[in-house]
Amino acid sequence: MLASILAQVPWQAPSIDYHAIAPEIVLAAGIVLIILVDLFVGESKKWVTASLTGFVLLGALIPVLTLAVSDPDARSLFDGRYVIDEYALTLKALFLIAGYVVVLLSQNHVEEGDYYQGEYYTLLLTSLTGMVMMASSRDLVSIFVALEFLSIPAYMLAAWRKRDRKSNEAGVKYYLLGVFASAVMLYGMSLLYGVTGSTLLSEIGRQITVDGDFGGVHALAIVFVVVGFAFKVSAVPFHTWAPDTYEGAPTPVTAFLSVASKAAGFVALVTILYVGVPQAKDVWQPFLWVLAALTMTVGNLLALRQSNIVRMLAYSSISQGGFILMPLAVAGTGDAAGPALQAVVVYLLVYAAMNLGMFAVVIAAARTTRSGEISSFGGLFSYAPGLGVLMTIFLASLAGIPPLGGWIAKFAAFRAVLEAGNGWAYGIAVIGAVNSVIAFGYYGNVMREVWMKPAPNGETRAVATPTSLVAALTITGAATLLLGVLPGTVLRFGDLADLVGAFGR
Amino acid sequence: MLTVQFLLLGAVLFCIGVYGVLARKNAVMVLMSIELILNSVNLNLLAFSSRLGSIDGNTFALYVIAVAAAEVGVGLAMVLLIYRNRRTIALDELSDMKG
């Protein structure tokens, strides 16, 4: 049987466009390099691995930029299974820059915490390679491989503090739910392959049509795949791992998970919905609508009663995820497809800047306070005015106050929803608007601590912020401000004509 | 071809696996249940592949097998870590963090 099939298909080596996959090659070479360097440098010089990781990430950014300026046409490899278009390049750049900021956040934390530095950065780079691959994947197999590529190192990073009970717990919870979700997603993918006869997303998109035979198996397959990614982006009711994992993992890893890993989940979800199953919108639109509404509301309400800042940020990031799902929930209606894609990309860019910045402030402030309680941030402005102001900026941006980046992101999301213009769209817009107001409650609570409360222990010593953290704060702070003041730039980034194969194109 | 029978077997294995993940409290048992789900996926892929006469499903199944091995490697290491720190691998005792 198998031999006869194989005999029918003459094998020829695929032609590979090395320029197109140069970012992945640089990252893979970097991983090998860091493993080797880690073997040969002494214990006191392990910081070299951190700097090298930074250089590798910036090095991988160079081919992304040359690809962006080289030619306007999308490059397609392996019969369209791996596509480098504007969408992929924008998100690759996002992952690489977010990764660079996470390296800056990790440097002192990992060094002082006496962790295994070489291995830490190797795993971080591996996970980022998976994300960069995810942005280009247009095939069920490559999406699955990229997803595991980015998840498995992330499981290990979450459990990085080997002797800490909370970090163990964080890792195991993340691992079990993540693996379970990818198994369910795989079952959905196997059904999707079975009913369409192909693993190529654009081919699946041609097979699954409204007027073709569309049965329960099709619907089940799509729902299972969406559930798998709902775990990854911690959408309610599949969010239960997120708060525990975020609290227990080392804080830079939390920043990485809440920004890069979540963005990768959204990228895969968008690719599958837009390229793979756009015609089956009657299945996924109501499902995503419910997910988005629940995610925004439950995330916000639970964030209100948190006393630990990282846990509060975990619920805040769940509810921000709901805002990213919101335009997707109506993406198939009317003319909303283009604006919805733009809104998701813009939201991911802005969210990465402001959330990484928020975590940078938390890490910098915790160097003095040694505590994660929100009350320990009392009087931050009086003894560290710089951090206090930055924290206010990031919190205001997360809450969506103009003229900061978060406001533009929310604006784009609501505009896309209103573009759809039916009852479902207005319904989710109202839920979103109510939730933006609720969010002021917990963001404002932290601001009040920073500005109005006295320092808890009469602590007035200035915080010594290391250079790498200052660099991270500068990058994220500048990005949050600039994206808000000059919305044209970010909206242009999100203006992607070129998601190859999307909606019948 | 017995495609439907293979698919039914796959569906049954999937259901047993999901039940095991949700109901079992022992970490190793949960890992085994996840393996059951992955194997039901493999069965599905191979059955569809032979029915459709396309090679894609076979390739996909190979990837699933390889990745499942990597996943279980990490998973068992984590279970070991939990056992070293707590002397138990019962998942319902993993409750240091709540709320």
Side-chain angles (χ1 to χ4, degrees), chain A residues 271-308:
Chain A
T271 317
I272 289 189
L273 292 184
Y274 272 66
V275 185
V277 294
Q279 299 296 333
K281 57 174 189 279
D282 291 342
V283 176
W284 54 261
Q285 281 201 138
F287 189 50
L288 284 181
W289 195 95
V290 174
L291 279 185
L294 276 176
T295 307
M296 286 190 275
T297 315
V298 174
N300 263 336
L301 292 179
L302 288 172
L304 281 174
R305 34 169 277 211
Q306 300 305 322
S307 61
N308 180 308

Side-chain angles (χ1 to χ4, degrees), chain A residues 64-233:
Chain A
V64 171
L65 293 177
T66 60
L67 280 167
V69 295
S70 66
D71 59 313
D73 292 335
R75 291 154 182 264
S76 164
L77 282 79
F78 311 116
D79 297 333
R81 291 183 158 78
Y82 201 80
V83 173
I84 288 90
D85 51 13
E86 288 175 10
Y87 168 76
L89 286 173
T90 311
L91 288 156
K92 279 177 200 228
L94 165 68
F95 290 136
L96 291 172
I97 295 170
Y100 185 70
V101 173
V102 171
V103 171
L104 291 176
L105 295 184
S106 309
Q107 219 160 5
N108 286 78
H109 199 87
V110 176
E111 208 172 323
E112 287 161 16
D114 202 20
Y115 301 136
Y116 307 87
Q117 292 191 56
E119 290 83 347
Y120 178 90
Y121 292 110
T122 314
L123 289 176
L124 194 65
L125 264 188
T126 316
S127 188
L128 279 164
T129 313
M131 292 172 189
V132 168
M133 281 160 60
M134 182 67 99
S136 282
S137 300
R138 298 288 187 278
D139 182 276
L140 293 182
V141 182
S142 50
I143 285 178
F144 163 65
V145 172
L147 181 73
E148 295 300 326
F149 216 110
L150 75 91
S151 300
I152 295 178
Y155 302 145
M156 289 189 260
L157 288 175
W160 204 245
R161 283 181 297 191
K162 267 172 74 175
R163 286 171 195 83
D164 181 82
R165 284 167 64 104
K166 276 189 175 181
S167 189
N168 289 169
E169 189 179 327
V172 168
K173 282 182 175 165
Y174 186 31
Y175 171 83
L176 286 177
L177 284 172
V179 174
F180 179 49
S182 61
V184 171
M185 181 202 70
L186 266 178
Y187 193 77
M189 283 184 169
S190 78
L191 293 178
L192 211 52
Y193 164 68
V195 293
T196 60
S198 174
T199 56
L200 188 61
L201 282 185
S202 52
E203 179 61 29
I204 293 174
R206 267 191 291 279
Q207 295 284 329
I208 293 190
T209 49
V210 199
D211 40 326
D213 61 328
F214 189 89
V217 185
H218 297 69
L220 198 65
I222 293 165
V223 167
F224 275 7
V225 171
V226 173
V227 165
F229 289 111
F231 267 99
K232 203 76 226 162
V233 302

Side-chain angles (χ1 to χ4, degrees), chain B residues 17 20-21 24-35 89:
Chain B
V21 172
R24 285 294 180 156
K25 296 293 170 222
N26 182 310
V28 176
M29 290 304 279
V30 172
L31 278 180
M32 285 168 69
S33 306
I34 288 170
E35 285 300 298
I89 53 169

Side-chain angles (χ1 to χ4, degrees), chain A residues 1-2 5-6 8-9 81 140-141 144-145 148 152 155-156 159 162-173 175-176 179-180 182-184 186-187 189-191 193-200 224 243-245 247-248 302 305-306 311 315, chain B residues 1 7 10-12 14 17-18 21-22 27 30-31 34 37-38 40-41 44-45 48-60 63-64 67-68 70-76 78-79 81-82 84-86 91 93-99:
Chain A
M1 180 70 205
L2 191 61
I5 299 174
L6 280 173
Q8 289 161 19
V9 189
R81 291 183 158 78
L140 293 182
V141 182
F144 163 65
V145 172
E148 295 300 326
I152 295 178
Y155 302 145
M156 289 189 260
K162 267 172 74 175
R163 286 171 195 83
D164 181 82
R165 284 167 64 104
K166 276 189 175 181
S167 189
N168 289 169
E169 189 179 327
V172 168
K173 282 182 175 165
Y175 171 83
L176 286 177
V179 174
F180 179 49
S182 61
V184 171
L186 266 178
Y187 193 77
M189 283 184 169
S190 78
L191 293 178
Y193 164 68
V195 293
T196 60
S198 174
T199 56
L200 188 61
F224 275 7
D244 293 350
T245 301
E247 187 185 342
L302 288 172
R305 34 169 277 211
Q306 300 305 322
R311 221 173 158 80
Y315 282 110
Chain B
M1 284 301 295
L7 293 181
V12 170
F14 177 79
V18 171
V21 172
L22 298 178
V30 172
L31 278 180
I34 288 170
I37 304 181
L38 291 174
S40 81
V41 171
N44 257 5
L45 285 171
F48 281 130
S49 184
S50 73
R51 195 189 69 168
L52 298 163
S54 92
I55 199 82
D56 293 0
N58 289 307
T59 331
F60 202 161
Y63 277 102
V64 174
V67 169
E71 268 180 359
V72 157
V74 172
L76 287 176
M78 269 188 199
V79 172
L81 213 57
I82 290 278
R84 282 206 182 128
N85 284 321
R86 302 179 188 237
L91 292 176
E93 287 176 34
L94 287 180
S95 53
D96 282 8
M97 292 173 282
K98 276 239 165 69

